[in-house]
Amino acid sequence: MTAMSEQSAPEFRFSRMESLLRGHRLRRLTVDGVDAVFVRDPVLVRRILVSDSKNYGKGELFRKARNLSRVGMLSEDEAMHRHYRRLAHPFLRSAKVDEYVPTMREIVRDVVCAWRSGEVVDVQAEMCRITCTISVSTLIPGLAPGTTAALSERLSALAWEMIRKPLYGRPAARAARPGASRRLSHARKEFRDLLASCIADLPNRPEGTGGYLAALLTDRDDGGKPLLTPEQVCEEAVMMMTAATVTTASVMSWALYVLSRNPLAEERLLKDLMHSGSSAQEHDAPGYTLRFLMEILRLHPPVWISCRKALADVTLGDHALPAGTNVVFSSYLLHRDPECWTDPHRFDPDRWISLNPGRVDASYIPFGIGSKGCVGEMFAWQELQVILDGVTREWKLATEPGNQIRTAPETTLHPRRLLMVPQPR
């Protein structure tokens, strides 16, 4: 076995991590106070996630950010995980997602039409409003309009707190935001309580309600016994809708910021949207809209760091790792690896004219890969294109003068405090 040097990374700074990992396929690091092996090699990351995935379970790191369900799709039990992926699939497959598009467009239009020319918009908060309303309206259809609006508002508050929840760092650093944990707990309770009342009311509604929530509630074992209690259904729905909103809101915030800084990209995007709507396929190659979003996700993947734990003794590359080893990798670093990408830090949607995401490695994994990859990937791609289309057709956005946008690697990788000023097209 090749020896691996060990270093401590007390704070996650991307430039420091790039320096620590340079020249190393694997390196022992102390990550977030836990001994771990950081994997930089995209071929080895793919092995962890795909070919040898049965040998890896959920890691010990970053549990502070989860605050989510332990049943259903996030269960440690692989059979249960697969079962609930299959249960969610009918509501997230391509044909079903196409049915959601009119609803998505209407929601985007309602939100952006309320903006006022020249008045500052908190873009991330607005993207949370849009994605949360889309999530509630599509995954829990048939509710009264007032209930849908109230659920969307409470989910938006929860998503906003989740986005900003520190994922990494010493307890003292995480405690530097007074009231943050209290606000998150309050937002989660507010959303969960209303959702629980909706679940309790479903059996009393003669017309019933279709969608994902009803599928969870009516799921039975071979003997006809419910597989999840109403409490667990609520937890699973909170997990699904939170995951569906915080990531998309962060990606859309980056997309609108990058457009404001790239007039040529904005011009090409508008032309592409005008000619093709929110569709993005031309001559078997991605159109500009899709290339633009692919490049946003390359440079700003919302799930920017992940951890797995070896369930048995494993060999990874030339290294023997004992059972219990935490294995960490970062999609942010993989997406900017100069050995995989030409001029990796440059925003260049046209690189995707000739590139296809690799099937032999994990150099591009914005939605993950393998059995634990994002079950809502098709939903997310469609939603991103609809939101981008709806916002950019109405408004030209610019950051306030002197406003320096910083990257915040927290629960998601998002731009910190993105305030923008809309002007009509």
Side-chain angles (χ1 to χ4, degrees):
M1 181 184 88
T2 304
M4 286 186 287
S5 59
E6 184 167 357
Q7 291 283 335
S8 175
E11 297 180 15
F12 201 103
R13 293 191 177 95
F14 289 120
S15 58
R16 172 171 168 75
M17 292 304 298
E18 286 177 320
S19 176
L20 284 173
L21 295 170
R22 190 172 295 121
H24 298 272
R25 299 174 74 199
L26 291 82
R27 188 166 192 182
R28 294 191 184 278
L29 298 172
T30 301
V31 181
D32 209 21
V34 176
D35 291 338
V37 173
F38 210 111
V39 184
R40 169 185 160 276
D41 188 324
V43 173
L44 296 183
V45 172
R46 184 177 181 86
R47 185 176 303 170
I48 293 167
L49 296 177
V50 181
S51 57
D52 294 345
S53 61
K54 65 181 183 299
N55 294 326
Y56 297 89
K58 293 181 175 65
E60 298 296 332
L61 295 170
F62 319 126
R63 289 187 180 274
K64 65 182 78 68
R66 290 178 186 167
N67 195 27
L68 296 171
S69 170
R70 287 293 179 273
V71 298
M73 211 175 298
L74 289 188
S75 171
E76 297 286 349
D77 182 271
E78 284 297 312
M80 180 175 284
H81 169 82
R82 290 193 299 272
H83 174 81
Y84 281 95
R85 282 184 70 95
R86 288 194 296 269
L87 195 67
H89 181 259
F91 306 99
L92 299 170
R93 68 185 191 278
S94 297
K96 187 66 175 178
V97 170
D98 288 342
E99 297 177 17
Y100 301 147
V101 169
T103 298
M104 291 180 179
R105 286 178 177 154
E106 182 179 353
I107 289 166
V108 176
R109 184 168 56 250
D110 287 347
V111 172
V112 303
C113 284
W115 297 353
R116 294 292 177 262
S117 177
E119 294 184 6
V120 173
V121 170
D122 187 327
V123 167
Q124 290 185 94
E126 293 296 280
M127 292 305 104
C128 280
R129 285 183 60 201
I130 289 173
T131 58
C132 290
T133 306
I134 287 173
S135 178
V136 172
S137 299
T138 56
L139 297 180
I140 318 179
L143 299 176
T147 302
T148 296
L151 271 175
S152 301
E153 181 180 349
R154 295 186 186 191
L155 178 58
S156 181
L158 173 58
W160 185 224
E161 294 300 330
M162 280 293 294
I163 283 173
R164 299 182 297 169
K165 183 177 176 62
L167 176 63
Y168 183 100
R170 294 171 178 168
R174 296 195 294 270
R177 300 180 183 179
S181 295
R182 184 173 64 252
R183 289 195 305 272
L184 176 59
S185 296
H186 177 73
R188 188 177 189 280
K189 183 178 186 303
E190 288 278 295
F191 175 64
R192 196 186 174 288
D193 286 352
L194 182 55
L195 186 62
S197 70
C198 293
I199 291 170
D201 188 51
L202 281 179
N204 303 321
R205 299 180 60 188
E207 74 280 12
T209 295
Y212 179 64
L213 189 62
L216 291 175
L217 199 61
T218 57
D219 194 26
R220 299 286 192 270
D221 63 16
D222 293 338
K225 180 181 178 182
L227 284 172
L228 296 181
T229 66
E231 170 88 5
Q232 291 172 326
V233 168
C234 195
E235 291 295 310
E236 184 73 358
V238 171
M239 179 280 297
M240 178 67 115
M241 287 191 283
T242 304
T245 54
V246 298
T247 51
T248 306
S250 295
V251 173
M252 274 309 308
S253 298
W254 281 119
L256 295 174
Y257 173 67
V258 169
L259 273 183
S260 74
R261 309 289 291 181
N262 291 268
L264 180 58
E266 183 179 47
E267 179 182 343
R268 295 180 67 187
L269 179 75
L270 288 169
K271 185 179 296 185
D272 186 61
L273 290 171
M274 190 66 67
H275 286 114
S276 59
S278 60
S279 176
Q281 296 294 333
E282 294 180 5
H283 309 298
D284 298 323
Y288 190 79
T289 302
L290 186 54
R291 298 202 304 272
F292 173 86
L293 288 169
M294 291 171 77
E295 189 71 345
I296 292 292
L297 280 159
R298 184 183 72 83
L299 291 172
H300 309 287
V303 182
W304 57 277
I305 194 166
S306 301
C307 180
R308 296 290 187 269
K309 182 167 67 174
L311 301 176
D313 294 348
V314 297
T315 300
L316 196 57
D318 298 328
H319 308 288
L321 307 179
T325 300
N326 282 290
V327 180
V328 182
F329 53 92
S330 168
S331 58
Y332 179 98
L333 297 177
L334 291 167
H335 290 185
R336 295 174 182 243
D337 187 341
E339 294 185 15
C340 299
W341 304 93
T342 301
D343 201 357
H345 296 284
R346 182 166 65 94
F347 179 76
D348 179 18
D350 287 342
R351 72 172 74 240
W352 295 102
I353 292 174
S354 58
L355 286 178
N356 286 313
R359 295 187 178 276
V360 296
D361 62 28
S363 57
Y364 185 71
I365 50 170
F367 294 97
I369 50 174
S371 62
K372 297 296 196 306
C374 176
V375 69
E377 180 175 352
M378 291 297 100
F379 186 100
W381 278 118
Q382 184 67 77
E383 185 180 22
L384 287 168
Q385 293 179 76
V386 169
I387 298 172
L388 189 61
D389 183 33
V391 173
T392 55
R393 284 178 185 266
E394 293 289 332
W395 300 104
K396 181 179 178 64
L397 294 169
T399 53
E400 290 186 293
N403 188 11
Q404 297 295 317
I405 305 302
R406 293 188 298 142
T407 298
E410 296 172 323
T411 298
T412 66
L413 188 72
H414 67 100
R416 194 186 303 281
R417 192 170 170 74
L418 181 58
L419 304 179
M420 303 188 79
V421 180
Q423 297 292 342
R425 290 288 176 191

